[in-house]
Amino acid sequence: LESVIPGETGLFFTELSTAGLNSALDNFKELKFNKSGIRAHAEKFSRPAFREKTAAYFERKWADYKG
């Protein structure tokens, strides 16, 4: 997923079990997260960013269509 950078903005766990979750939580306890880094990454998924990316996409597609 784009929204999670393992070790920087969160963790993934692949074993969908209590043991897998406990292991991920144990790893989580040992990590130090940078609040400003997490916020900066989250801003990439904000409403204004979505609007900008969507508008840019459609402008490119319109320009391609017009030739």
Side-chain angles (χ1 to χ4, degrees):
L1 297 171
E2 293 179 24
S3 58
V4 176
I5 301 172
E8 291 183 37
T9 64
L11 291 174
F12 289 116
F13 65 100
T14 55
E15 185 183 328
L16 300 179
S17 66
T18 303
L21 179 57
N22 283 334
S23 177
L25 290 172
D26 287 341
N27 290 335
F28 187 84
K29 291 177 191 175
E30 298 172 9
L31 294 173
K32 300 283 185 205
F33 290 97
N34 178 311
K35 291 178 187 179
S36 61
I38 291 171
R39 181 168 184 84
H41 184 67
E43 289 294 327
K44 295 177 186 177
F45 304 95
S46 68
R47 285 183 175 161
F50 177 80
R51 278 189 220 110
E52 289 175 22
K53 290 176 186 176
T54 302
Y57 172 82
F58 284 110
E59 287 172 9
R60 281 192 313 275
K61 292 300 179 181
W62 181 248
D64 291 346
Y65 173 74
K66 287 173 52 177

